[in-house]
Amino acid sequence: MSLRIGTRGSALALAQTNKVVGMLADRGIEAEIVTITTEGDTATGVPLHAIGGQGVFVRALDDAILRGDIDAAVHSMKDIPAARPAGLTCCAVLERDSPADFLAHECPLDAVSVVGSSSTRRRAQLLRDAPALEVKQLRGNVDTRIRKLREGQYDAVVLAEAGLERLGLRLPGEPLPTDRFVPSPNQGTVAVVCRDDPAVAGTFAPLDHAPTRLDVEIERAVMEEVGGGCFTPQGIYCRDGNLIAEVLALDGSRWERIERHVATVGEAREWGRALRVQAAALIREAYTALGVKP
């Protein structure tokens, strides 16, 4: 039997899916790639929060699994929303690549004044670090973002370092330190989602990396308790149980933050609830400013 694995059509999504197909092939399992277009790929002229956030990249693939058009889908795990449809399971979490953001720039760093990013988190963290920066909206795949940087529309753009590595791209610039620029939950992680069928899920089980799964499950537990989705600037990163989580004002002027060692998902939920209470005013502000209903 040949598995049908769905993916978005971007170069990065295809690179990630080809990696999974290669890992399956090493185990004697055949798979074919099915490319599916999502609303997030076609509606590039508007901010992500205006079309439903990162989840728009996942919804079409979820639907295809549930219809039986494909057996599984490969995602950047940070794109997978907290609320998931019944009938699906995350059957494998690959070993994590770099979780860091990468600031790509061709001019000297001290000459950077206009930075491109569509992420409310990246915008807030950049402004916290350098309030004089102008952070302008930037959507599109990695190639599009790099092209706009080279055309001079921005002095710098922020990209996930893991994505550049998976595409084999080397750009001038530097990774941003994860303690000051706390990544999105699950950044740098690839996940496989399939229908909730033990026979299908079991096929992908050998690809699962248990230490990464625990770290990202801790991050997701905190994310779920804090709420706010991609609308509220928040960074949540765990490595070997060492958790940093923060919620920021949209302009980076204020933030609430916790740093703890967390051993279990249950403990992570407790700290997520604590951060939600600490950051309640910031979360309300973000929803109001963006015109999003909680």
Side-chain angles (χ1 to χ4, degrees):
M1 180 185 79
S2 178
L3 291 167
R4 297 158 302 164
I5 302 182
T7 178
R8 295 166 59 197
S10 72
L12 177 57
L14 288 166
Q16 293 173 172
T17 306
N18 276 309
K19 178 177 180 178
V20 170
V21 169
M23 294 172 77
L24 290 171
D26 290 343
R27 292 161 174 80
I29 301 166
E30 291 184 14
E32 63 172 304
I33 295 175
V34 179
T35 303
I36 292 173
T37 301
T38 75
E39 185 183 359
D41 294 309
T42 55
T44 57
V46 293
L48 269 181
H49 65 78
I51 55 172
Q54 293 290 119
V56 299
F57 295 124
V58 177
R59 196 176 305 129
L61 290 158
D62 284 346
D63 290 345
I65 295 171
L66 293 171
R67 285 195 307 269
D69 295 345
I70 56 176
D71 299 300
V74 177
H75 299 288
S76 294
M77 195 169 183
K78 70 182 176 67
D79 291 344
I80 300 176
R84 305 296 291 127
L88 300 178
T89 185
C90 179
C91 52
V93 177
L94 275 55
E95 184 173 2
R96 191 175 216 157
D97 298 315
S98 169
D101 288 326
F102 188 89
L103 184 71
H105 55 92
E106 297 185 326
C107 65
L109 184 59
D110 59 8
V112 170
S113 62
V114 179
V115 182
S117 176
S118 60
S119 158
T120 59
R121 171 189 64 83
R122 287 171 174 162
R123 172 188 168 84
Q125 290 173 342
L126 287 164
L127 291 174
R128 173 174 62 185
D129 199 64
L133 282 178
E134 181 184 359
V135 183
K136 293 172 62 177
Q137 282 288 332
L138 174 61
R139 289 281 317 283
N141 60 32
V142 173
D143 288 342
T144 299
R145 297 179 194 204
I146 293 171
R147 175 177 56 78
K148 290 182 177 181
L149 170 67
R150 289 176 173 160
E151 288 173 352
Q153 295 186 39
Y154 308 87
D155 300 322
V157 299
V158 186
L159 302 158
E161 186 175 40
L164 297 176
E165 292 173 347
R166 290 171 194 151
L167 290 169
L169 296 174
R170 297 179 65 86
L171 299 179
E174 57 277 312
L176 298 173
T178 54
D179 59 337
R180 282 173 34 220
F181 296 87
V182 185
S184 291
N186 303 176
Q187 185 161 304
T189 309
V190 172
V192 183
V193 173
C194 71
R195 63 178 179 272
D196 198 0
D197 175 337
V200 178
T203 306
F204 292 95
L207 279 55
D208 194 65
H209 187 255
T212 297
R213 182 181 279 270
L214 178 57
D215 279 340
V216 297
E217 285 181 349
I218 286 170
E219 292 168 6
R220 291 184 79 79
V222 174
M223 174 183 73
E224 289 166 11
E225 295 299 335
V226 170
C230 75
F231 312 115
T232 304
Q234 58 181 298
I236 304 171
Y237 174 50
C238 185
R239 181 178 180 182
D240 300 328
N242 296 308
L243 170 69
I244 307 175
E246 65 178 13
V247 177
L248 300 93
L250 287 167
D251 63 0
S253 61
R254 290 158 292 128
W255 59 90
E256 296 288 346
R257 179 176 172 119
I258 57 172
E259 297 186 39
R260 293 286 186 278
H261 183 79
V262 177
T264 67
V265 171
E267 201 178 328
R269 291 198 177 280
E270 291 177 17
W271 286 113
R273 287 191 287 271
L275 181 57
R276 182 181 65 202
V277 171
Q278 285 177 226
L282 296 175
I283 294 169
R284 283 196 303 271
E285 277 181 27
Y287 274 95
T288 301
L290 297 172
V292 178
K293 292 182 179 179

